[in-house]
Amino acid sequence: QVQVVESGGGLVQPGGSLRLSCAASGIILSDYVIGWYRQAPGKERELVAAITKGGRINYVDSVKGRFTISRDDAKNTGYLEMNSLKPEDTAVYYCNVRHSWLGDEYDYWGRGTQVTVSS
């Protein structure tokens, strides 16, 4: 059974930092692309950052220079380091892992972790 579990969210003041973790079980994470998404109230879910199994990284423009995505395949875990947080970063953050193999798609989501940036 595949599980993807996010942790590390919470309440932080503007300018603060948080580190989110995405722990996967039941899969070999090194075969998967890891994506961090977020969804704020009343808004669509958006891709914040992604890292391929080869280490290629992309960020949405609004977090460039502030967020860092990484992975530790030995621990089957992905991370999102968030610095200089702003109130507009407030959202539920979701981890997604996906993999394609011989035409089959494997796509798993966590349940999300709340990040609230407020003074």
Side-chain angles (χ1 to χ4, degrees):
Q1 182 179 358
V2 178
Q3 285 192 317
V4 176
V5 180
E6 305 94 338
S7 61
L11 173 64
V12 63
Q13 292 187 343
S17 298
L18 285 173
R19 188 193 197 202
L20 305 184
S21 297
C22 170
S25 59
I27 60 171
I28 300 172
L29 189 60
S30 59
D31 290 335
Y32 286 71
V33 175
I34 301 171
W36 284 97
Y37 291 73
R38 66 186 179 187
Q39 187 166 20
K43 294 189 177 181
E44 293 187 353
R45 189 175 296 189
E46 68 168 346
L47 177 63
V48 174
I51 182 168
T52 69
K53 56 184 180 180
R56 285 184 299 171
I57 291 173
N58 283 296
Y59 298 100
V60 68
D61 285 347
S62 59
V63 308
K64 285 180 180 177
R66 300 189 298 121
F67 289 13
T68 302
I69 189 172
S70 62
R71 62 192 301 155
D72 185 341
D73 292 332
K75 295 183 178 179
N76 244 34
T77 302
Y79 303 97
L80 185 67
E81 183 80 30
M82 305 186 296
N83 299 312
S84 302
L85 282 161
K86 305 175 181 180
E88 51 263 43
D89 295 317
T90 295
V92 179
Y93 284 70
Y94 298 90
C95 179
N96 170 258
V97 296
R98 58 185 172 84
H99 170 59
S100 298
W101 179 250
L102 299 178
D104 290 328
E105 299 285 331
Y106 302 88
D107 191 351
Y108 305 103
W109 290 86
R111 292 187 175 184
T113 185
Q114 176 70 47
V115 171
T116 303
V117 185
S118 175
S119 55

